[in-house]
Structures are given as structure tokens and as C-alpha cells.
Amino acid sequence: MKPRRIKLAIVDDNADNRLILRTYLEDRYEIAEFADGKEAIQGVKQMKPDVVLLDISLPDMDGVEVLRVIRDDASLRDLRVIALTAHAMIGDRERFLQFGFDAYASKPLDFGKLEEQIRKYAHHQALSAS
């Protein structure tokens, strides 16, 4: 029996960024894309992804606000969420982790490291769901 593909939600208002992520990841993961925070919240409620890749700079509500809604919703609060951001100053990683993100990836992305994080958190989700 073929194992279930890991489900990823990519949330980024930049279509080029979504295309790059999808192109790199789509042969190994089931992917849904969302261009803004409100769309993402509705989408993750329906999709129940294993991991959410969430851009911080979104037009309607920023990634921190989206994360707050996810963490406040009992059906979503255990989702693994990785912050994607161009904010890469000293202390930014710690700041985003304090907001409640599970991990932090700065742009430009290190795809090898990002995929390690995806596999780690998807594995954690699978264990907690069983």
C-alpha cells in the first residue's frame, strides 16, 4: 500500500514565490496554495495540512495574525506552521518562534533545510494523529 502523501499549505501573496515552492516540492507533496490570510484560514480548515508554510508579509492580515487565528481554533491549533520571511535580522528567528511558529525559514530559502523541517513536522503530525 502506497503511503499517504504529506499535505502542505503554501501561503504567500507573491505568485512567483508560490510557483518556486510548488515547482520544488510538488513531486513529493500534496500542495494547496493560498494568496492571503483569510483564504489561507478557510483553506487549512478544509484541507487539514500536515505543515503550513506561512509568509509573514501578507496584504490583508500578516502571518503572525494568521498564526494567532490558527492557534486559537481548537481544530487547527496543533498544525505545524513554518514562518517564511525576508526578516533575517539578529533576533528575528527567536521573535517568530515566540509568536508560536514551529520553525522559521528566511528568504532566500535554503530548500534542503526547509524540506528537513517539513519532514520533521509532518512526521510529528502523523505521530500525534495516530
mmCIF file with all atom_site columns, all heavy atoms in Angstrom, residues 41 54 61-74 76-77 81 98-101:
data_model
loop_
_atom_site.group_PDB
_atom_site.id
_atom_site.type_symbol
_atom_site.label_atom_id
_atom_site.label_alt_id
_atom_site.label_comp_id
_atom_site.label_asym_id
_atom_site.label_entity_id
_atom_site.label_seq_id
_atom_site.pdbx_PDB_ins_code
_atom_site.Cartn_x
_atom_site.Cartn_y
_atom_site.Cartn_z
_atom_site.occupancy
_atom_site.B_iso_or_equiv
_atom_site.pdbx_formal_charge
_atom_site.auth_seq_id
_atom_site.auth_comp_id
_atom_site.auth_asym_id
_atom_site.auth_atom_id
_atom_site.pdbx_PDB_model_num
ATOM 1   N N   . ILE A 1 41  ? -6.822  30.697 5.978  1.00 0.00 ? 41  ILE A N   1
ATOM 2   C CA  . ILE A 1 41  ? -7.536  30.175 7.151  1.00 0.00 ? 41  ILE A CA  1
ATOM 3   C C   . ILE A 1 41  ? -8.684  29.269 6.706  1.00 0.00 ? 41  ILE A C   1
ATOM 4   O O   . ILE A 1 41  ? -8.846  28.161 7.223  1.00 0.00 ? 41  ILE A O   1
ATOM 5   C CB  . ILE A 1 41  ? -8.032  31.328 8.049  1.00 0.00 ? 41  ILE A CB  1
ATOM 6   C CG1 . ILE A 1 41  ? -6.821  32.010 8.710  1.00 0.00 ? 41  ILE A CG1 1
ATOM 7   C CG2 . ILE A 1 41  ? -9.005  30.816 9.105  1.00 0.00 ? 41  ILE A CG2 1
ATOM 8   C CD1 . ILE A 1 41  ? -7.131  33.363 9.308  1.00 0.00 ? 41  ILE A CD1 1
ATOM 9   N N   . LEU A 1 54  ? 4.047   29.571 5.899  1.00 0.00 ? 54  LEU A N   1
ATOM 10  C CA  . LEU A 1 54  ? 3.295   30.824 6.036  1.00 0.00 ? 54  LEU A CA  1
ATOM 11  C C   . LEU A 1 54  ? 4.197   32.041 5.933  1.00 0.00 ? 54  LEU A C   1
ATOM 12  O O   . LEU A 1 54  ? 5.036   32.284 6.813  1.00 0.00 ? 54  LEU A O   1
ATOM 13  C CB  . LEU A 1 54  ? 2.562   30.809 7.388  1.00 0.00 ? 54  LEU A CB  1
ATOM 14  C CG  . LEU A 1 54  ? 1.739   32.021 7.779  1.00 0.00 ? 54  LEU A CG  1
ATOM 15  C CD1 . LEU A 1 54  ? 0.690   32.376 6.733  1.00 0.00 ? 54  LEU A CD1 1
ATOM 16  C CD2 . LEU A 1 54  ? 1.087   31.785 9.138  1.00 0.00 ? 54  LEU A CD2 1
ATOM 17  N N   . MET A 1 61  ? -3.936  40.375 6.277  1.00 0.00 ? 61  MET A N   1
ATOM 18  C CA  . MET A 1 61  ? -3.551  40.148 7.669  1.00 0.00 ? 61  MET A CA  1
ATOM 19  C C   . MET A 1 61  ? -2.191  39.485 7.602  1.00 0.00 ? 61  MET A C   1
ATOM 20  O O   . MET A 1 61  ? -1.968  38.617 6.770  1.00 0.00 ? 61  MET A O   1
ATOM 21  C CB  . MET A 1 61  ? -4.593  39.300 8.408  1.00 0.00 ? 61  MET A CB  1
ATOM 22  C CG  . MET A 1 61  ? -4.974  38.002 7.758  1.00 0.00 ? 61  MET A CG  1
ATOM 23  S SD  . MET A 1 61  ? -6.453  37.153 8.421  1.00 0.00 ? 61  MET A SD  1
ATOM 24  C CE  . MET A 1 61  ? -6.147  36.983 10.128 1.00 0.00 ? 61  MET A CE  1
ATOM 25  N N   . ASP A 1 62  ? -1.263  39.907 8.438  1.00 0.00 ? 62  ASP A N   1
ATOM 26  C CA  . ASP A 1 62  ? 0.078   39.349 8.324  1.00 0.00 ? 62  ASP A CA  1
ATOM 27  C C   . ASP A 1 62  ? 0.130   37.917 8.872  1.00 0.00 ? 62  ASP A C   1
ATOM 28  O O   . ASP A 1 62  ? -0.831  37.423 9.476  1.00 0.00 ? 62  ASP A O   1
ATOM 29  C CB  . ASP A 1 62  ? 1.129   40.259 8.964  1.00 0.00 ? 62  ASP A CB  1
ATOM 30  C CG  . ASP A 1 62  ? 1.061   40.337 10.481 1.00 0.00 ? 62  ASP A CG  1
ATOM 31  O OD1 . ASP A 1 62  ? 0.497   39.433 11.125 1.00 0.00 ? 62  ASP A OD1 1
ATOM 32  O OD2 . ASP A 1 62  ? 1.616   41.297 11.036 1.00 0.00 ? 62  ASP A OD2 1
ATOM 33  N N   . GLY A 1 63  ? 1.249   37.249 8.621  1.00 0.00 ? 63  GLY A N   1
ATOM 34  C CA  . GLY A 1 63  ? 1.398   35.859 9.021  1.00 0.00 ? 63  GLY A CA  1
ATOM 35  C C   . GLY A 1 63  ? 1.245   35.634 10.514 1.00 0.00 ? 63  GLY A C   1
ATOM 36  O O   . GLY A 1 63  ? 0.749   34.588 10.942 1.00 0.00 ? 63  GLY A O   1
ATOM 37  N N   . VAL A 1 64  ? 1.645   36.602 11.317 1.00 0.00 ? 64  VAL A N   1
ATOM 38  C CA  . VAL A 1 64  ? 1.500   36.473 12.772 1.00 0.00 ? 64  VAL A CA  1
ATOM 39  C C   . VAL A 1 64  ? 0.012   36.455 13.143 1.00 0.00 ? 64  VAL A C   1
ATOM 40  O O   . VAL A 1 64  ? -0.416  35.667 13.984 1.00 0.00 ? 64  VAL A O   1
ATOM 41  C CB  . VAL A 1 64  ? 2.260   37.601 13.508 1.00 0.00 ? 64  VAL A CB  1
ATOM 42  C CG1 . VAL A 1 64  ? 1.982   37.566 15.005 1.00 0.00 ? 64  VAL A CG1 1
ATOM 43  C CG2 . VAL A 1 64  ? 3.763   37.496 13.231 1.00 0.00 ? 64  VAL A CG2 1
ATOM 44  N N   . GLU A 1 65  ? -0.790  37.303 12.488 1.00 0.00 ? 65  GLU A N   1
ATOM 45  C CA  . GLU A 1 65  ? -2.235  37.304 12.737 1.00 0.00 ? 65  GLU A CA  1
ATOM 46  C C   . GLU A 1 65  ? -2.872  35.990 12.285 1.00 0.00 ? 65  GLU A C   1
ATOM 47  O O   . GLU A 1 65  ? -3.739  35.445 12.978 1.00 0.00 ? 65  GLU A O   1
ATOM 48  C CB  . GLU A 1 65  ? -2.909  38.469 12.005 1.00 0.00 ? 65  GLU A CB  1
ATOM 49  C CG  . GLU A 1 65  ? -2.550  39.838 12.552 1.00 0.00 ? 65  GLU A CG  1
ATOM 50  C CD  . GLU A 1 65  ? -3.153  40.931 11.683 1.00 0.00 ? 65  GLU A CD  1
ATOM 51  O OE1 . GLU A 1 65  ? -2.521  41.307 10.685 1.00 0.00 ? 65  GLU A OE1 1
ATOM 52  O OE2 . GLU A 1 65  ? -4.271  41.379 12.020 1.00 0.00 ? 65  GLU A OE2 1
ATOM 53  N N   . VAL A 1 66  ? -2.453  35.487 11.134 1.00 0.00 ? 66  VAL A N   1
ATOM 54  C CA  . VAL A 1 66  ? -2.968  34.208 10.638 1.00 0.00 ? 66  VAL A CA  1
ATOM 55  C C   . VAL A 1 66  ? -2.626  33.104 11.632 1.00 0.00 ? 66  VAL A C   1
ATOM 56  O O   . VAL A 1 66  ? -3.480  32.281 11.985 1.00 0.00 ? 66  VAL A O   1
ATOM 57  C CB  . VAL A 1 66  ? -2.406  33.880 9.236  1.00 0.00 ? 66  VAL A CB  1
ATOM 58  C CG1 . VAL A 1 66  ? -2.814  32.474 8.797  1.00 0.00 ? 66  VAL A CG1 1
ATOM 59  C CG2 . VAL A 1 66  ? -2.851  34.918 8.216  1.00 0.00 ? 66  VAL A CG2 1
ATOM 60  N N   . LEU A 1 67  ? -1.396  33.104 12.114 1.00 0.00 ? 67  LEU A N   1
ATOM 61  C CA  . LEU A 1 67  ? -0.985  32.102 13.098 1.00 0.00 ? 67  LEU A CA  1
ATOM 62  C C   . LEU A 1 67  ? -1.833  32.199 14.363 1.00 0.00 ? 67  LEU A C   1
ATOM 63  O O   . LEU A 1 67  ? -2.249  31.189 14.920 1.00 0.00 ? 67  LEU A O   1
ATOM 64  C CB  . LEU A 1 67  ? 0.495   32.251 13.444 1.00 0.00 ? 67  LEU A CB  1
ATOM 65  C CG  . LEU A 1 67  ? 0.992   31.241 14.481 1.00 0.00 ? 67  LEU A CG  1
ATOM 66  C CD1 . LEU A 1 67  ? 1.064   29.840 13.877 1.00 0.00 ? 67  LEU A CD1 1
ATOM 67  C CD2 . LEU A 1 67  ? 2.344   31.653 15.026 1.00 0.00 ? 67  LEU A CD2 1
ATOM 68  N N   . ARG A 1 68  ? -2.115  33.409 14.804 1.00 0.00 ? 68  ARG A N   1
ATOM 69  C CA  . ARG A 1 68  ? -2.935  33.611 16.011 1.00 0.00 ? 68  ARG A CA  1
ATOM 70  C C   . ARG A 1 68  ? -4.318  32.976 15.829 1.00 0.00 ? 68  ARG A C   1
ATOM 71  O O   . ARG A 1 68  ? -4.828  32.307 16.726 1.00 0.00 ? 68  ARG A O   1
ATOM 72  C CB  . ARG A 1 68  ? -3.052  35.105 16.311 1.00 0.00 ? 68  ARG A CB  1
ATOM 73  C CG  . ARG A 1 68  ? -3.534  35.394 17.711 1.00 0.00 ? 68  ARG A CG  1
ATOM 74  C CD  . ARG A 1 68  ? -3.367  36.859 18.092 1.00 0.00 ? 68  ARG A CD  1
ATOM 75  N NE  . ARG A 1 68  ? -1.954  37.207 18.180 1.00 0.00 ? 68  ARG A NE  1
ATOM 76  C CZ  . ARG A 1 68  ? -1.374  38.223 17.541 1.00 0.00 ? 68  ARG A CZ  1
ATOM 77  N NH1 . ARG A 1 68  ? -2.080  39.001 16.750 1.00 0.00 ? 68  ARG A NH1 1
ATOM 78  N NH2 . ARG A 1 68  ? -0.098  38.473 17.688 1.00 0.00 ? 68  ARG A NH2 1
ATOM 79  N N   . VAL A 1 69  ? -4.919  33.158 14.655 1.00 0.00 ? 69  VAL A N   1
ATOM 80  C CA  . VAL A 1 69  ? -6.233  32.555 14.371 1.00 0.00 ? 69  VAL A CA  1
ATOM 81  C C   . VAL A 1 69  ? -6.110  31.031 14.378 1.00 0.00 ? 69  VAL A C   1
ATOM 82  O O   . VAL A 1 69  ? -6.957  30.332 14.950 1.00 0.00 ? 69  VAL A O   1
ATOM 83  C CB  . VAL A 1 69  ? -6.797  33.062 13.022 1.00 0.00 ? 69  VAL A CB  1
ATOM 84  C CG1 . VAL A 1 69  ? -8.047  32.286 12.623 1.00 0.00 ? 69  VAL A CG1 1
ATOM 85  C CG2 . VAL A 1 69  ? -7.085  34.556 13.100 1.00 0.00 ? 69  VAL A CG2 1
ATOM 86  N N   . ILE A 1 70  ? -5.058  30.515 13.771 1.00 0.00 ? 70  ILE A N   1
ATOM 87  C CA  . ILE A 1 70  ? -4.835  29.060 13.740 1.00 0.00 ? 70  ILE A CA  1
ATOM 88  C C   . ILE A 1 70  ? -4.692  28.523 15.160 1.00 0.00 ? 70  ILE A C   1
ATOM 89  O O   . ILE A 1 70  ? -5.321  27.528 15.530 1.00 0.00 ? 70  ILE A O   1
ATOM 90  C CB  . ILE A 1 70  ? -3.600  28.715 12.882 1.00 0.00 ? 70  ILE A CB  1
ATOM 91  C CG1 . ILE A 1 70  ? -3.918  28.933 11.395 1.00 0.00 ? 70  ILE A CG1 1
ATOM 92  C CG2 . ILE A 1 70  ? -3.119  27.288 13.137 1.00 0.00 ? 70  ILE A CG2 1
ATOM 93  C CD1 . ILE A 1 70  ? -2.715  28.833 10.472 1.00 0.00 ? 70  ILE A CD1 1
ATOM 94  N N   . ARG A 1 71  ? -3.898  29.161 15.973 1.00 0.00 ? 71  ARG A N   1
ATOM 95  C CA  . ARG A 1 71  ? -3.653  28.677 17.335 1.00 0.00 ? 71  ARG A CA  1
ATOM 96  C C   . ARG A 1 71  ? -4.888  28.825 18.233 1.00 0.00 ? 71  ARG A C   1
ATOM 97  O O   . ARG A 1 71  ? -5.047  28.072 19.187 1.00 0.00 ? 71  ARG A O   1
ATOM 98  C CB  . ARG A 1 71  ? -2.454  29.398 17.964 1.00 0.00 ? 71  ARG A CB  1
ATOM 99  C CG  . ARG A 1 71  ? -1.129  29.126 17.269 1.00 0.00 ? 71  ARG A CG  1
ATOM 100 C CD  . ARG A 1 71  ? -0.696  27.685 17.427 1.00 0.00 ? 71  ARG A CD  1
ATOM 101 N NE  . ARG A 1 71  ? 0.636   27.473 16.885 1.00 0.00 ? 71  ARG A NE  1
ATOM 102 C CZ  . ARG A 1 71  ? 0.938   26.608 15.923 1.00 0.00 ? 71  ARG A CZ  1
ATOM 103 N NH1 . ARG A 1 71  ? 0.000   25.852 15.398 1.00 0.00 ? 71  ARG A NH1 1
ATOM 104 N NH2 . ARG A 1 71  ? 2.170   26.492 15.486 1.00 0.00 ? 71  ARG A NH2 1
ATOM 105 N N   . ASP A 1 72  ? -5.775  29.791 17.906 1.00 0.00 ? 72  ASP A N   1
ATOM 106 C CA  . ASP A 1 72  ? -6.993  29.985 18.699 1.00 0.00 ? 72  ASP A CA  1
ATOM 107 C C   . ASP A 1 72  ? -8.120  29.036 18.309 1.00 0.00 ? 72  ASP A C   1
ATOM 108 O O   . ASP A 1 72  ? -9.129  28.951 19.008 1.00 0.00 ? 72  ASP A O   1
ATOM 109 C CB  . ASP A 1 72  ? -7.491  31.430 18.568 1.00 0.00 ? 72  ASP A CB  1
ATOM 110 C CG  . ASP A 1 72  ? -6.634  32.419 19.341 1.00 0.00 ? 72  ASP A CG  1
ATOM 111 O OD1 . ASP A 1 72  ? -5.839  31.984 20.204 1.00 0.00 ? 72  ASP A OD1 1
ATOM 112 O OD2 . ASP A 1 72  ? -6.747  33.625 19.063 1.00 0.00 ? 72  ASP A OD2 1
ATOM 113 N N   . ASP A 1 73  ? -7.974  28.333 17.188 1.00 0.00 ? 73  ASP A N   1
ATOM 114 C CA  . ASP A 1 73  ? -9.005  27.410 16.705 1.00 0.00 ? 73  ASP A CA  1
ATOM 115 C C   . ASP A 1 73  ? -8.648  25.992 17.151 1.00 0.00 ? 73  ASP A C   1
ATOM 116 O O   . ASP A 1 73  ? -7.611  25.451 16.768 1.00 0.00 ? 73  ASP A O   1
ATOM 117 C CB  . ASP A 1 73  ? -9.073  27.491 15.174 1.00 0.00 ? 73  ASP A CB  1
ATOM 118 C CG  . ASP A 1 73  ? -10.177 26.655 14.579 1.00 0.00 ? 73  ASP A CG  1
ATOM 119 O OD1 . ASP A 1 73  ? -10.398 25.505 15.031 1.00 0.00 ? 73  ASP A OD1 1
ATOM 120 O OD2 . ASP A 1 73  ? -10.821 27.137 13.637 1.00 0.00 ? 73  ASP A OD2 1
ATOM 121 N N   . ALA A 1 74  ? -9.501  25.389 17.961 1.00 0.00 ? 74  ALA A N   1
ATOM 122 C CA  . ALA A 1 74  ? -9.208  24.058 18.521 1.00 0.00 ? 74  ALA A CA  1
ATOM 123 C C   . ALA A 1 74  ? -8.947  23.019 17.441 1.00 0.00 ? 74  ALA A C   1
ATOM 124 O O   . ALA A 1 74  ? -8.133  22.118 17.638 1.00 0.00 ? 74  ALA A O   1
ATOM 125 C CB  . ALA A 1 74  ? -10.356 23.600 19.418 1.00 0.00 ? 74  ALA A CB  1
ATOM 126 N N   . LEU A 1 76  ? -7.476  23.527 14.606 1.00 0.00 ? 76  LEU A N   1
ATOM 127 C CA  . LEU A 1 76  ? -6.259  23.853 13.854 1.00 0.00 ? 76  LEU A CA  1
ATOM 128 C C   . LEU A 1 76  ? -5.026  24.029 14.735 1.00 0.00 ? 76  LEU A C   1
ATOM 129 O O   . LEU A 1 76  ? -3.906  24.006 14.226 1.00 0.00 ? 76  LEU A O   1
ATOM 130 C CB  . LEU A 1 76  ? -6.464  25.151 13.059 1.00 0.00 ? 76  LEU A CB  1
ATOM 131 C CG  . LEU A 1 76  ? -7.594  25.194 12.058 1.00 0.00 ? 76  LEU A CG  1
ATOM 132 C CD1 . LEU A 1 76  ? -7.705  26.583 11.455 1.00 0.00 ? 76  LEU A CD1 1
ATOM 133 C CD2 . LEU A 1 76  ? -7.404  24.142 10.989 1.00 0.00 ? 76  LEU A CD2 1
ATOM 134 N N   . ARG A 1 77  ? -5.215  24.208 16.025 1.00 0.00 ? 77  ARG A N   1
ATOM 135 C CA  . ARG A 1 77  ? -4.121  24.660 16.893 1.00 0.00 ? 77  ARG A CA  1
ATOM 136 C C   . ARG A 1 77  ? -2.873  23.786 16.856 1.00 0.00 ? 77  ARG A C   1
ATOM 137 O O   . ARG A 1 77  ? -1.789  24.261 17.101 1.00 0.00 ? 77  ARG A O   1
ATOM 138 C CB  . ARG A 1 77  ? -4.641  24.888 18.296 1.00 0.00 ? 77  ARG A CB  1
ATOM 139 C CG  . ARG A 1 77  ? -4.446  23.847 19.319 1.00 0.00 ? 77  ARG A CG  1
ATOM 140 C CD  . ARG A 1 77  ? -4.832  24.290 20.724 1.00 0.00 ? 77  ARG A CD  1
ATOM 141 N NE  . ARG A 1 77  ? -5.762  25.398 20.758 1.00 0.00 ? 77  ARG A NE  1
ATOM 142 C CZ  . ARG A 1 77  ? -6.986  25.358 21.277 1.00 0.00 ? 77  ARG A CZ  1
ATOM 143 N NH1 . ARG A 1 77  ? -7.418  24.279 21.863 1.00 0.00 ? 77  ARG A NH1 1
ATOM 144 N NH2 . ARG A 1 77  ? -7.760  26.417 21.251 1.00 0.00 ? 77  ARG A NH2 1
ATOM 145 N N   . VAL A 1 81  ? 3.406   24.992 11.755 1.00 0.00 ? 81  VAL A N   1
ATOM 146 C CA  . VAL A 1 81  ? 3.484   26.178 10.911 1.00 0.00 ? 81  VAL A CA  1
ATOM 147 C C   . VAL A 1 81  ? 4.921   26.689 10.878 1.00 0.00 ? 81  VAL A C   1
ATOM 148 O O   . VAL A 1 81  ? 5.520   26.957 11.927 1.00 0.00 ? 81  VAL A O   1
ATOM 149 C CB  . VAL A 1 81  ? 2.532   27.287 11.414 1.00 0.00 ? 81  VAL A CB  1
ATOM 150 C CG1 . VAL A 1 81  ? 2.565   28.482 10.466 1.00 0.00 ? 81  VAL A CG1 1
ATOM 151 C CG2 . VAL A 1 81  ? 1.106   26.756 11.559 1.00 0.00 ? 81  VAL A CG2 1
ATOM 152 N N   . GLN A 1 98  ? 8.761   32.773 19.307 1.00 0.00 ? 98  GLN A N   1
ATOM 153 C CA  . GLN A 1 98  ? 7.992   33.201 20.477 1.00 0.00 ? 98  GLN A CA  1
ATOM 154 C C   . GLN A 1 98  ? 6.528   33.480 20.121 1.00 0.00 ? 98  GLN A C   1
ATOM 155 O O   . GLN A 1 98  ? 5.645   33.312 20.951 1.00 0.00 ? 98  GLN A O   1
ATOM 156 C CB  . GLN A 1 98  ? 8.622   34.438 21.114 1.00 0.00 ? 98  GLN A CB  1
ATOM 157 C CG  . GLN A 1 98  ? 9.880   34.138 21.879 1.00 0.00 ? 98  GLN A CG  1
ATOM 158 C CD  . GLN A 1 98  ? 10.518  35.395 22.456 1.00 0.00 ? 98  GLN A CD  1
ATOM 159 O OE1 . GLN A 1 98  ? 10.198  36.514 22.085 1.00 0.00 ? 98  GLN A OE1 1
ATOM 160 N NE2 . GLN A 1 98  ? 11.447  35.201 23.375 1.00 0.00 ? 98  GLN A NE2 1
ATOM 161 N N   . PHE A 1 99  ? 6.275   33.903 18.874 1.00 0.00 ? 99  PHE A N   1
ATOM 162 C CA  . PHE A 1 99  ? 4.898   34.120 18.431 1.00 0.00 ? 99  PHE A CA  1
ATOM 163 C C   . PHE A 1 99  ? 4.130   32.806 18.350 1.00 0.00 ? 99  PHE A C   1
ATOM 164 O O   . PHE A 1 99  ? 2.910   32.806 18.316 1.00 0.00 ? 99  PHE A O   1
ATOM 165 C CB  . PHE A 1 99  ? 4.848   34.798 17.062 1.00 0.00 ? 99  PHE A CB  1
ATOM 166 C CG  . PHE A 1 99  ? 5.180   36.264 17.074 1.00 0.00 ? 99  PHE A CG  1
ATOM 167 C CD1 . PHE A 1 99  ? 6.044   36.794 16.122 1.00 0.00 ? 99  PHE A CD1 1
ATOM 168 C CD2 . PHE A 1 99  ? 4.626   37.127 18.008 1.00 0.00 ? 99  PHE A CD2 1
ATOM 169 C CE1 . PHE A 1 99  ? 6.345   38.144 16.110 1.00 0.00 ? 99  PHE A CE1 1
ATOM 170 C CE2 . PHE A 1 99  ? 4.921   38.482 18.004 1.00 0.00 ? 99  PHE A CE2 1
ATOM 171 C CZ  . PHE A 1 99  ? 5.790   38.994 17.047 1.00 0.00 ? 99  PHE A CZ  1
ATOM 172 N N   . GLY A 1 100 ? 4.864   31.678 18.282 1.00 0.00 ? 100 GLY A N   1
ATOM 173 C CA  . GLY A 1 100 ? 4.201   30.383 18.215 1.00 0.00 ? 100 GLY A CA  1
ATOM 174 C C   . GLY A 1 100 ? 4.441   29.586 16.948 1.00 0.00 ? 100 GLY A C   1
ATOM 175 O O   . GLY A 1 100 ? 3.853   28.520 16.767 1.00 0.00 ? 100 GLY A O   1
ATOM 176 N N   . PHE A 1 101 ? 5.295   30.100 16.067 1.00 0.00 ? 101 PHE A N   1
ATOM 177 C CA  . PHE A 1 101 ? 5.659   29.316 14.889 1.00 0.00 ? 101 PHE A CA  1
ATOM 178 C C   . PHE A 1 101 ? 6.499   28.131 15.340 1.00 0.00 ? 101 PHE A C   1
ATOM 179 O O   . PHE A 1 101 ? 7.236   28.216 16.325 1.00 0.00 ? 101 PHE A O   1
ATOM 180 C CB  . PHE A 1 101 ? 6.459   30.168 13.891 1.00 0.00 ? 101 PHE A CB  1
ATOM 181 C CG  . PHE A 1 101 ? 5.623   31.174 13.157 1.00 0.00 ? 101 PHE A CG  1
ATOM 182 C CD1 . PHE A 1 101 ? 5.498   32.473 13.630 1.00 0.00 ? 101 PHE A CD1 1
ATOM 183 C CD2 . PHE A 1 101 ? 4.946   30.821 11.997 1.00 0.00 ? 101 PHE A CD2 1
ATOM 184 C CE1 . PHE A 1 101 ? 4.725   33.400 12.968 1.00 0.00 ? 101 PHE A CE1 1
ATOM 185 C CE2 . PHE A 1 101 ? 4.166   31.744 11.324 1.00 0.00 ? 101 PHE A CE2 1
ATOM 186 C CZ  . PHE A 1 101 ? 4.049   33.038 11.810 1.00 0.00 ? 101 PHE A CZ  1
#
